[in-house]
mmCIF file of all heavy atoms in Angstrom:
data_model
loop_
_atom_site.group_PDB
_atom_site.id
_atom_site.type_symbol
_atom_site.label_atom_id
_atom_site.label_comp_id
_atom_site.label_asym_id
_atom_site.label_seq_id
_atom_site.Cartn_x
_atom_site.Cartn_y
_atom_site.Cartn_z
ATOM 1 N N SER A 1 16.049 -42.453 -27.008
ATOM 2 C CA SER A 1 16.718 -42.712 -28.277
ATOM 3 C C SER A 1 17.965 -41.851 -28.426
ATOM 4 O O SER A 1 19.019 -42.320 -28.868
ATOM 5 C CB SER A 1 15.753 -42.449 -29.434
ATOM 6 O OG SER A 1 16.354 -42.745 -30.673
ATOM 7 N N MET A 2 17.865 -40.576 -28.028
ATOM 8 C CA MET A 2 19.016 -39.678 -28.142
ATOM 9 C C MET A 2 20.135 -40.065 -27.181
ATOM 10 O O MET A 2 21.322 -40.001 -27.522
ATOM 11 C CB MET A 2 18.583 -38.236 -27.872
ATOM 12 C CG MET A 2 17.712 -37.616 -28.959
ATOM 13 S SD MET A 2 18.560 -37.451 -30.555
ATOM 14 C CE MET A 2 17.870 -38.845 -31.462
ATOM 15 N N LEU A 3 19.776 -40.497 -25.976
ATOM 16 C CA LEU A 3 20.793 -40.905 -25.005
ATOM 17 C C LEU A 3 21.538 -42.153 -25.459
ATOM 18 O O LEU A 3 22.687 -42.377 -25.074
ATOM 19 C CB LEU A 3 20.143 -41.150 -23.634
ATOM 20 C CG LEU A 3 19.654 -39.912 -22.884
ATOM 21 C CD1 LEU A 3 18.965 -40.325 -21.588
ATOM 22 C CD2 LEU A 3 20.805 -38.961 -22.588
ATOM 23 N N ASN A 4 20.881 -42.977 -26.267
ATOM 24 C CA ASN A 4 21.494 -44.211 -26.759
ATOM 25 C C ASN A 4 21.854 -44.085 -28.244
ATOM 26 O O ASN A 4 21.733 -45.040 -29.006
ATOM 27 C CB ASN A 4 20.550 -45.390 -26.534
ATOM 28 C CG ASN A 4 20.381 -45.716 -25.066
ATOM 29 O OD1 ASN A 4 21.220 -46.353 -24.444
ATOM 30 N ND2 ASN A 4 19.279 -45.255 -24.494
ATOM 31 N N PHE A 5 22.288 -42.890 -28.630
ATOM 32 C CA PHE A 5 22.592 -42.597 -30.022
ATOM 33 C C PHE A 5 23.595 -43.597 -30.609
ATOM 34 O O PHE A 5 23.417 -44.110 -31.714
ATOM 35 C CB PHE A 5 23.146 -41.172 -30.129
ATOM 36 C CG PHE A 5 23.567 -40.781 -31.519
ATOM 37 C CD1 PHE A 5 22.631 -40.365 -32.453
ATOM 38 C CD2 PHE A 5 24.906 -40.834 -31.903
ATOM 39 C CE1 PHE A 5 23.014 -40.006 -33.728
ATOM 40 C CE2 PHE A 5 25.295 -40.475 -33.179
ATOM 41 C CZ PHE A 5 24.349 -40.056 -34.093
ATOM 42 N N GLU A 6 24.653 -43.904 -29.849
ATOM 43 C CA GLU A 6 25.674 -44.817 -30.353
ATOM 44 C C GLU A 6 25.112 -46.215 -30.608
ATOM 45 O O GLU A 6 25.403 -46.836 -31.643
ATOM 46 C CB GLU A 6 26.835 -44.899 -29.361
ATOM 47 C CG GLU A 6 27.723 -43.662 -29.353
ATOM 48 C CD GLU A 6 28.876 -43.834 -28.387
ATOM 49 O OE1 GLU A 6 28.625 -43.683 -27.180
ATOM 50 O OE2 GLU A 6 30.001 -44.115 -28.820
ATOM 51 N N THR A 7 24.311 -46.687 -29.669
ATOM 52 C CA THR A 7 23.728 -48.014 -29.832
ATOM 53 C C THR A 7 22.839 -48.077 -31.073
ATOM 54 O O THR A 7 22.847 -49.072 -31.808
ATOM 55 C CB THR A 7 22.898 -48.378 -28.585
ATOM 56 O OG1 THR A 7 23.741 -48.292 -27.432
ATOM 57 C CG2 THR A 7 22.342 -49.786 -28.695
ATOM 58 N N VAL A 8 22.088 -47.010 -31.308
ATOM 59 C CA VAL A 8 21.249 -46.955 -32.508
ATOM 60 C C VAL A 8 22.108 -47.092 -33.763
ATOM 61 O O VAL A 8 21.775 -47.837 -34.695
ATOM 62 C CB VAL A 8 20.456 -45.631 -32.543
ATOM 63 C CG1 VAL A 8 19.692 -45.495 -33.865
ATOM 64 C CG2 VAL A 8 19.468 -45.555 -31.377
ATOM 65 N N LYS A 9 23.240 -46.391 -33.770
ATOM 66 C CA LYS A 9 24.137 -46.447 -34.921
ATOM 67 C C LYS A 9 24.784 -47.826 -35.068
ATOM 68 O O LYS A 9 24.939 -48.344 -36.181
ATOM 69 C CB LYS A 9 25.227 -45.375 -34.797
ATOM 70 C CG LYS A 9 24.705 -43.950 -34.950
ATOM 71 C CD LYS A 9 24.156 -43.710 -36.351
ATOM 72 C CE LYS A 9 23.690 -42.284 -36.540
ATOM 73 N NZ LYS A 9 23.084 -42.067 -37.865
ATOM 74 N N TYR A 10 25.174 -48.410 -33.930
ATOM 75 C CA TYR A 10 25.814 -49.731 -33.979
ATOM 76 C C TYR A 10 24.943 -50.751 -34.700
ATOM 77 O O TYR A 10 25.431 -51.595 -35.451
ATOM 78 C CB TYR A 10 26.106 -50.236 -32.560
ATOM 79 C CG TYR A 10 27.221 -49.495 -31.846
ATOM 80 C CD1 TYR A 10 27.227 -49.398 -30.452
ATOM 81 C CD2 TYR A 10 28.262 -48.899 -32.556
ATOM 82 C CE1 TYR A 10 28.235 -48.725 -29.791
ATOM 83 C CE2 TYR A 10 29.273 -48.224 -31.898
ATOM 84 C CZ TYR A 10 29.266 -48.139 -30.510
ATOM 85 O OH TYR A 10 30.265 -47.478 -29.854
ATOM 86 N N TYR A 11 23.654 -50.689 -34.452
ATOM 87 C CA TYR A 11 22.737 -51.702 -34.981
ATOM 88 C C TYR A 11 21.937 -51.209 -36.191
ATOM 89 O O TYR A 11 21.015 -51.889 -36.640
ATOM 90 C CB TYR A 11 21.788 -52.176 -33.883
ATOM 91 C CG TYR A 11 22.503 -52.950 -32.804
ATOM 92 C CD1 TYR A 11 22.956 -52.310 -31.654
ATOM 93 C CD2 TYR A 11 22.763 -54.316 -32.947
ATOM 94 C CE1 TYR A 11 23.640 -53.003 -30.661
ATOM 95 C CE2 TYR A 11 23.443 -55.018 -31.959
ATOM 96 C CZ TYR A 11 23.877 -54.361 -30.834
ATOM 97 O OH TYR A 11 24.562 -55.055 -29.858
ATOM 98 N N GLY A 12 22.321 -50.027 -36.707
ATOM 99 C CA GLY A 12 21.624 -49.513 -37.878
ATOM 100 C C GLY A 12 20.130 -49.412 -37.682
ATOM 101 O O GLY A 12 19.342 -49.703 -38.583
ATOM 102 N N ALA A 13 19.724 -48.979 -36.477
ATOM 103 C CA ALA A 13 18.300 -48.993 -36.110
ATOM 104 C C ALA A 13 17.647 -47.632 -36.250
ATOM 105 O O ALA A 13 16.652 -47.343 -35.581
ATOM 106 C CB ALA A 13 18.148 -49.506 -34.675
ATOM 107 N N GLU A 14 18.193 -46.772 -37.101
ATOM 108 C CA GLU A 14 17.632 -45.441 -37.243
ATOM 109 C C GLU A 14 16.161 -45.478 -37.658
ATOM 110 O O GLU A 14 15.320 -44.787 -37.072
ATOM 111 C CB GLU A 14 18.430 -44.629 -38.280
ATOM 112 C CG GLU A 14 19.849 -44.286 -37.850
ATOM 113 C CD GLU A 14 20.848 -45.339 -38.260
ATOM 114 O OE1 GLU A 14 20.413 -46.463 -38.625
ATOM 115 O OE2 GLU A 14 22.048 -45.062 -38.217
ATOM 116 N N GLU A 15 15.851 -46.282 -38.670
ATOM 117 C CA GLU A 15 14.470 -46.340 -39.148
ATOM 118 C C GLU A 15 13.533 -46.924 -38.091
ATOM 119 O O GLU A 15 12.382 -46.509 -37.963
ATOM 120 C CB GLU A 15 14.393 -47.166 -40.433
ATOM 121 C CG GLU A 15 14.928 -46.452 -41.662
ATOM 122 C CD GLU A 15 14.229 -45.122 -41.895
ATOM 123 O OE1 GLU A 15 12.978 -45.084 -41.788
ATOM 124 O OE2 GLU A 15 14.920 -44.121 -42.151
ATOM 125 N N TYR A 16 14.041 -47.895 -37.336
ATOM 126 C CA TYR A 16 13.228 -48.472 -36.254
ATOM 127 C C TYR A 16 12.899 -47.395 -35.214
ATOM 128 O O TYR A 16 11.755 -47.291 -34.745
ATOM 129 C CB TYR A 16 13.979 -49.623 -35.596
ATOM 130 C CG TYR A 16 13.291 -50.171 -34.363
ATOM 131 C CD1 TYR A 16 12.238 -51.071 -34.470
ATOM 132 C CD2 TYR A 16 13.689 -49.762 -33.089
ATOM 133 C CE1 TYR A 16 11.594 -51.550 -33.336
ATOM 134 C CE2 TYR A 16 13.052 -50.236 -31.963
ATOM 135 C CZ TYR A 16 12.015 -51.132 -32.084
ATOM 136 O OH TYR A 16 11.381 -51.604 -30.975
ATOM 137 N N GLU A 17 13.902 -46.590 -34.851
ATOM 138 C CA GLU A 17 13.695 -45.539 -33.861
ATOM 139 C C GLU A 17 12.740 -44.471 -34.398
ATOM 140 O O GLU A 17 11.873 -43.977 -33.677
ATOM 141 C CB GLU A 17 15.035 -44.907 -33.489
ATOM 142 C CG GLU A 17 15.934 -45.798 -32.655
ATOM 143 C CD GLU A 17 15.325 -46.102 -31.303
ATOM 144 O OE1 GLU A 17 14.769 -45.189 -30.667
ATOM 145 O OE2 GLU A 17 15.380 -47.275 -30.875
ATOM 146 N N VAL A 18 12.922 -44.113 -35.668
ATOM 147 C CA VAL A 18 12.038 -43.109 -36.268
ATOM 148 C C VAL A 18 10.595 -43.605 -36.285
ATOM 149 O O VAL A 18 9.654 -42.867 -35.968
ATOM 150 C CB VAL A 18 12.501 -42.766 -37.701
ATOM 151 C CG1 VAL A 18 11.462 -41.911 -38.413
ATOM 152 C CG2 VAL A 18 13.845 -42.037 -37.658
ATOM 153 N N LYS A 19 10.418 -44.883 -36.632
ATOM 154 C CA LYS A 19 9.067 -45.454 -36.664
ATOM 155 C C LYS A 19 8.453 -45.490 -35.263
ATOM 156 O O LYS A 19 7.267 -45.178 -35.078
ATOM 157 C CB LYS A 19 9.096 -46.855 -37.260
ATOM 158 C CG LYS A 19 7.704 -47.477 -37.407
ATOM 159 C CD LYS A 19 7.771 -48.870 -37.996
ATOM 160 C CE LYS A 19 6.354 -49.430 -38.193
ATOM 161 N NZ LYS A 19 5.583 -49.465 -36.943
ATOM 162 N N ALA A 20 9.273 -45.884 -34.284
ATOM 163 C CA ALA A 20 8.767 -45.935 -32.906
ATOM 164 C C ALA A 20 8.364 -44.542 -32.431
ATOM 165 O O ALA A 20 7.335 -44.371 -31.764
ATOM 166 C CB ALA A 20 9.833 -46.527 -31.986
ATOM 167 N N TYR A 21 9.188 -43.544 -32.784
ATOM 168 C CA TYR A 21 8.861 -42.167 -32.393
ATOM 169 C C TYR A 21 7.601 -41.684 -33.118
ATOM 170 O O TYR A 21 6.749 -41.010 -32.533
ATOM 171 C CB TYR A 21 10.046 -41.257 -32.703
ATOM 172 C CG TYR A 21 9.861 -39.836 -32.250
ATOM 173 C CD1 TYR A 21 9.520 -39.531 -30.935
ATOM 174 C CD2 TYR A 21 10.020 -38.774 -33.139
ATOM 175 C CE1 TYR A 21 9.351 -38.226 -30.514
ATOM 176 C CE2 TYR A 21 9.848 -37.456 -32.727
ATOM 177 C CZ TYR A 21 9.517 -37.196 -31.410
ATOM 178 O OH TYR A 21 9.341 -35.895 -30.995
ATOM 179 N N LYS A 22 7.483 -42.045 -34.402
ATOM 180 C CA LYS A 22 6.295 -41.665 -35.162
ATOM 181 C C LYS A 22 5.046 -42.300 -34.562
ATOM 182 O O LYS A 22 3.992 -41.655 -34.460
ATOM 183 C CB LYS A 22 6.454 -42.099 -36.623
ATOM 184 C CG LYS A 22 5.268 -41.734 -37.507
ATOM 185 C CD LYS A 22 5.475 -42.190 -38.946
ATOM 186 C CE LYS A 22 4.270 -41.842 -39.812
ATOM 187 N NZ LYS A 22 4.453 -42.307 -41.210
ATOM 188 N N ASP A 23 5.152 -43.574 -34.149
ATOM 189 C CA ASP A 23 4.014 -44.249 -33.516
ATOM 190 C C ASP A 23 3.610 -43.524 -32.234
ATOM 191 O O ASP A 23 2.418 -43.378 -31.933
ATOM 192 C CB ASP A 23 4.372 -45.703 -33.196
ATOM 193 C CG ASP A 23 4.455 -46.561 -34.447
ATOM 194 O OD1 ASP A 23 3.921 -46.132 -35.491
ATOM 195 O OD2 ASP A 23 5.068 -47.647 -34.391
ATOM 196 N N ALA A 24 4.625 -43.059 -31.473
ATOM 197 C CA ALA A 24 4.335 -42.336 -30.230
ATOM 198 C C ALA A 24 3.639 -41.014 -30.533
ATOM 199 O O ALA A 24 2.713 -40.604 -29.814
ATOM 200 C CB ALA A 24 5.619 -42.093 -29.450
ATOM 201 N N ILE A 25 4.064 -40.338 -31.619
ATOM 202 C CA ILE A 25 3.419 -39.078 -32.012
ATOM 203 C C ILE A 25 1.977 -39.332 -32.453
ATOM 204 O O ILE A 25 1.061 -38.580 -32.086
ATOM 205 C CB ILE A 25 4.213 -38.399 -33.147
ATOM 206 C CG1 ILE A 25 5.585 -37.953 -32.650
ATOM 207 C CG2 ILE A 25 3.439 -37.202 -33.702
ATOM 208 C CD1 ILE A 25 6.465 -37.375 -33.733
ATOM 209 N N ILE A 26 1.771 -40.393 -33.235
ATOM 210 C CA ILE A 26 0.415 -40.718 -33.703
ATOM 211 C C ILE A 26 -0.503 -41.017 -32.520
ATOM 212 O O ILE A 26 -1.659 -40.576 -32.478
ATOM 213 C CB ILE A 26 0.459 -41.913 -34.674
ATOM 214 C CG1 ILE A 26 1.149 -41.506 -35.987
ATOM 215 C CG2 ILE A 26 -0.947 -42.443 -34.958
ATOM 216 C CD1 ILE A 26 1.385 -42.650 -36.941
ATOM 217 N N GLU A 27 0.010 -41.744 -31.549
ATOM 218 C CA GLU A 27 -0.784 -42.041 -30.351
ATOM 219 C C GLU A 27 -1.144 -40.754 -29.621
ATOM 220 O O GLU A 27 -2.290 -40.561 -29.173
ATOM 221 C CB GLU A 27 -0.005 -42.973 -29.425
ATOM 222 C CG GLU A 27 -0.775 -43.359 -28.173
ATOM 223 C CD GLU A 27 0.041 -44.260 -27.257
ATOM 224 O OE1 GLU A 27 1.159 -44.664 -27.644
ATOM 225 O OE2 GLU A 27 -0.445 -44.568 -26.157
ATOM 226 N N TYR A 28 -0.169 -39.838 -29.511
ATOM 227 C CA TYR A 28 -0.427 -38.554 -28.852
ATOM 228 C C TYR A 28 -1.471 -37.748 -29.628
ATOM 229 O O TYR A 28 -2.406 -37.189 -29.047
ATOM 230 C CB TYR A 28 0.879 -37.763 -28.735
ATOM 231 C CG TYR A 28 0.677 -36.332 -28.309
ATOM 232 C CD1 TYR A 28 0.387 -36.009 -26.983
ATOM 233 C CD2 TYR A 28 0.743 -35.290 -29.239
ATOM 234 C CE1 TYR A 28 0.189 -34.698 -26.594
ATOM 235 C CE2 TYR A 28 0.535 -33.976 -28.861
ATOM 236 C CZ TYR A 28 0.256 -33.679 -27.540
ATOM 237 O OH TYR A 28 0.043 -32.384 -27.155
ATOM 238 N N GLN A 29 -1.314 -37.694 -30.950
ATOM 239 C CA GLN A 29 -2.243 -36.909 -31.760
ATOM 240 C C GLN A 29 -3.647 -37.501 -31.749
ATOM 241 O O GLN A 29 -4.636 -36.768 -31.851
ATOM 242 C CB GLN A 29 -1.710 -36.799 -33.192
ATOM 243 C CG GLN A 29 -0.460 -35.941 -33.309
ATOM 244 C CD GLN A 29 0.064 -35.851 -34.724
ATOM 245 O OE1 GLN A 29 -0.181 -36.737 -35.544
ATOM 246 N NE2 GLN A 29 0.800 -34.789 -35.026
ATOM 247 N N HIS A 30 -3.746 -38.814 -31.609
ATOM 248 C CA HIS A 30 -5.053 -39.457 -31.493
ATOM 249 C C HIS A 30 -5.779 -38.962 -30.246
ATOM 250 O O HIS A 30 -6.981 -38.632 -30.299
ATOM 251 C CB HIS A 30 -4.871 -40.975 -31.449
ATOM 252 C CG HIS A 30 -6.145 -41.741 -31.283
ATOM 253 N ND1 HIS A 30 -7.129 -41.809 -32.258
ATOM 254 C CD2 HIS A 30 -6.615 -42.468 -30.226
ATOM 255 C CE1 HIS A 30 -8.133 -42.531 -31.822
ATOM 256 N NE2 HIS A 30 -7.854 -42.947 -30.594
ATOM 257 N N GLU A 31 -5.056 -38.906 -29.138
ATOM 258 C CA GLU A 31 -5.657 -38.415 -27.894
ATOM 259 C C GLU A 31 -5.865 -36.900 -27.963
ATOM 260 O O GLU A 31 -6.844 -36.378 -27.423
ATOM 261 C CB GLU A 31 -4.764 -38.766 -26.702
ATOM 262 C CG GLU A 31 -4.525 -40.250 -26.505
ATOM 263 C CD GLU A 31 -5.820 -41.031 -26.299
ATOM 264 O OE1 GLU A 31 -6.813 -40.429 -25.839
ATOM 265 O OE2 GLU A 31 -5.833 -42.236 -26.597
ATOM 266 N N GLU A 32 -4.958 -36.193 -28.629
ATOM 267 C CA GLU A 32 -5.097 -34.748 -28.787
ATOM 268 C C GLU A 32 -6.353 -34.416 -29.600
ATOM 269 O O GLU A 32 -7.054 -33.437 -29.305
ATOM 270 C CB GLU A 32 -3.857 -34.182 -29.479
ATOM 271 C CG GLU A 32 -3.869 -32.665 -29.643
ATOM 272 C CD GLU A 32 -2.701 -32.174 -30.461
ATOM 273 O OE1 GLU A 32 -2.313 -32.882 -31.421
ATOM 274 O OE2 GLU A 32 -2.187 -31.087 -30.160
ATOM 275 N N PHE A 33 -6.654 -35.228 -30.620
ATOM 276 C CA PHE A 33 -7.847 -35.010 -31.442
ATOM 277 C C PHE A 33 -9.108 -35.072 -30.580
ATOM 278 O O PHE A 33 -10.005 -34.221 -30.709
ATOM 279 C CB PHE A 33 -7.901 -36.059 -32.552
ATOM 280 C CG PHE A 33 -9.155 -36.013 -33.386
ATOM 281 C CD1 PHE A 33 -9.308 -35.052 -34.376
ATOM 282 C CD2 PHE A 33 -10.177 -36.927 -33.170
ATOM 283 C CE1 PHE A 33 -10.470 -35.007 -35.144
ATOM 284 C CE2 PHE A 33 -11.338 -36.881 -33.925
ATOM 285 C CZ PHE A 33 -11.487 -35.918 -34.911
ATOM 286 N N LYS A 34 -9.198 -36.079 -29.717
ATOM 287 C CA LYS A 34 -10.361 -36.197 -28.837
ATOM 288 C C LYS A 34 -10.482 -34.979 -27.932
ATOM 289 O O LYS A 34 -11.585 -34.468 -27.684
ATOM 290 C CB LYS A 34 -10.250 -37.471 -27.993
ATOM 291 C CG LYS A 34 -10.281 -38.760 -28.793
ATOM 292 C CD LYS A 34 -10.132 -39.948 -27.854
ATOM 293 C CE LYS A 34 -10.092 -41.270 -28.637
ATOM 294 N NZ LYS A 34 -9.888 -42.427 -27.733
ATOM 295 N N THR A 35 -9.344 -34.503 -27.430
ATOM 296 C CA THR A 35 -9.355 -33.337 -26.555
ATOM 297 C C THR A 35 -9.858 -32.103 -27.288
ATOM 298 O O THR A 35 -10.675 -31.328 -26.764
ATOM 299 C CB THR A 35 -7.936 -33.080 -26.004
ATOM 300 O OG1 THR A 35 -7.470 -34.243 -25.323
ATOM 301 C CG2 THR A 35 -7.928 -31.911 -25.045
ATOM 302 N N GLN A 36 -9.384 -31.912 -28.530
ATOM 303 C CA GLN A 36 -9.778 -30.734 -29.290
ATOM 304 C C GLN A 36 -11.253 -30.792 -29.706
ATOM 305 O O GLN A 36 -11.952 -29.769 -29.698
ATOM 306 C CB GLN A 36 -8.888 -30.609 -30.535
ATOM 307 C CG GLN A 36 -7.426 -30.340 -30.234
ATOM 308 C CD GLN A 36 -7.211 -29.037 -29.499
ATOM 309 O OE1 GLN A 36 -7.942 -28.078 -29.709
ATOM 310 N NE2 GLN A 36 -6.207 -28.992 -28.637
ATOM 311 N N VAL A 37 -11.742 -31.974 -30.095
ATOM 312 C CA VAL A 37 -13.149 -32.115 -30.483
ATOM 313 C C VAL A 37 -14.063 -31.826 -29.298
ATOM 314 O O VAL A 37 -15.075 -31.112 -29.419
ATOM 315 C CB VAL A 37 -13.423 -33.528 -31.049
ATOM 316 C CG1 VAL A 37 -14.917 -33.765 -31.214
ATOM 317 C CG2 VAL A 37 -12.721 -33.704 -32.388
ATOM 318 N N SER A 38 -13.717 -32.374 -28.137
ATOM 319 C CA SER A 38 -14.541 -32.126 -26.939
ATOM 320 C C SER A 38 -14.503 -30.654 -26.556
ATOM 321 O O SER A 38 -15.486 -30.112 -26.037
ATOM 322 C CB SER A 38 -14.055 -33.001 -25.777
ATOM 323 O OG SER A 38 -12.714 -32.704 -25.436
ATOM 324 N N LEU A 39 -13.372 -29.978 -26.826
ATOM 325 C CA LEU A 39 -13.287 -28.541 -26.560
ATOM 326 C C LEU A 39 -14.228 -27.770 -27.487
ATOM 327 O O LEU A 39 -14.909 -26.823 -27.059
ATOM 328 C CB LEU A 39 -11.842 -28.066 -26.764
ATOM 329 C CG LEU A 39 -11.608 -26.553 -26.663
ATOM 330 C CD1 LEU A 39 -12.008 -26.038 -25.285
ATOM 331 C CD2 LEU A 39 -10.145 -26.229 -26.955
ATOM 332 N N ALA A 40 -14.278 -28.180 -28.738
ATOM 333 C CA ALA A 40 -15.174 -27.519 -29.687
ATOM 334 C C ALA A 40 -16.629 -27.678 -29.256
ATOM 335 O O ALA A 40 -17.445 -26.741 -29.385
ATOM 336 C CB ALA A 40 -14.963 -28.091 -31.086
ATOM 337 N N ILE A 41 -16.994 -28.851 -28.753
ATOM 338 C CA ILE A 41 -18.360 -29.088 -28.269
ATOM 339 C C ILE A 41 -18.676 -28.149 -27.112
ATOM 340 O O ILE A 41 -19.753 -27.535 -27.047
ATOM 341 C CB ILE A 41 -18.530 -30.556 -27.839
ATOM 342 C CG1 ILE A 41 -18.420 -31.478 -29.061
ATOM 343 C CG2 ILE A 41 -19.860 -30.759 -27.123
ATOM 344 C CD1 ILE A 41 -18.405 -32.956 -28.712
ATOM 345 N N LEU A 42 -17.729 -28.011 -26.190
ATOM 346 C CA LEU A 42 -17.928 -27.136 -25.037
ATOM 347 C C LEU A 42 -18.108 -25.687 -25.477
ATOM 348 O O LEU A 42 -19.025 -24.996 -25.004
ATOM 349 C CB LEU A 42 -16.729 -27.264 -24.090
ATOM 350 C CG LEU A 42 -16.713 -26.314 -22.891
ATOM 351 C CD1 LEU A 42 -17.943 -26.534 -22.015
ATOM 352 C CD2 LEU A 42 -15.437 -26.502 -22.073
ATOM 353 N N ASN A 43 -17.258 -25.224 -26.377
ATOM 354 C CA ASN A 43 -17.360 -23.833 -26.846
ATOM 355 C C ASN A 43 -18.695 -23.558 -27.525
ATOM 356 O O ASN A 43 -19.294 -22.488 -27.363
ATOM 357 C CB ASN A 43 -16.215 -23.522 -27.821
ATOM 358 C CG ASN A 43 -14.874 -23.422 -27.111
ATOM 359 O OD1 ASN A 43 -14.815 -23.154 -25.913
ATOM 360 N ND2 ASN A 43 -13.796 -23.630 -27.850
ATOM 361 N N THR A 44 -19.185 -24.527 -28.290
ATOM 362 C CA THR A 44 -20.470 -24.359 -28.987
ATOM 363 C C THR A 44 -21.619 -24.240 -27.991
ATOM 364 O O THR A 44 -22.486 -23.365 -28.121
ATOM 365 C CB THR A 44 -20.717 -25.544 -29.933
ATOM 366 O OG1 THR A 44 -19.651 -25.625 -30.883
ATOM 367 C CG2 THR A 44 -22.042 -25.376 -30.671
ATOM 368 N N VAL A 45 -21.627 -25.109 -26.991
ATOM 369 C CA VAL A 45 -22.685 -25.067 -25.960
ATOM 370 C C VAL A 45 -22.653 -23.739 -25.219
ATOM 371 O O VAL A 45 -23.698 -23.109 -24.973
ATOM 372 C CB VAL A 45 -22.511 -26.248 -24.985
ATOM 373 C CG1 VAL A 45 -23.449 -26.095 -23.790
ATOM 374 C CG2 VAL A 45 -22.771 -27.570 -25.690
#
């Protein structure tokens, strides 16, 4: 998105890019949650 900054501006796609980035963060945090929960289980055992 940053490398194509001009193209984003040309098409007024800032909100689209922000949403796409937010979706990518949510996907990462979803997997991160599973990792952290499984870590808590291991520490308890």
Side-chain angles (χ1 to χ4, degrees):
S1 183
M2 290 296 102
L3 289 177
N4 292 281
F5 177 81
E6 286 182 282
T7 303
V8 174
K9 291 295 183 183
Y10 289 152
Y11 292 94
E14 292 90 345
E15 285 304 315
Y16 173 81
E17 289 296 317
V18 170
K19 184 180 183 302
Y21 184 53
K22 181 180 179 181
D23 288 342
I25 294 175
I26 291 173
E27 181 181 355
Y28 169 76
Q29 291 179 335
H30 178 68
E31 300 301 335
E32 182 186 36
F33 175 78
K34 296 179 183 178
T35 303
Q36 295 299 327
V37 170
S38 61
L39 174 60
I41 294 173
L42 174 60
N43 288 336
T44 301
V45 171

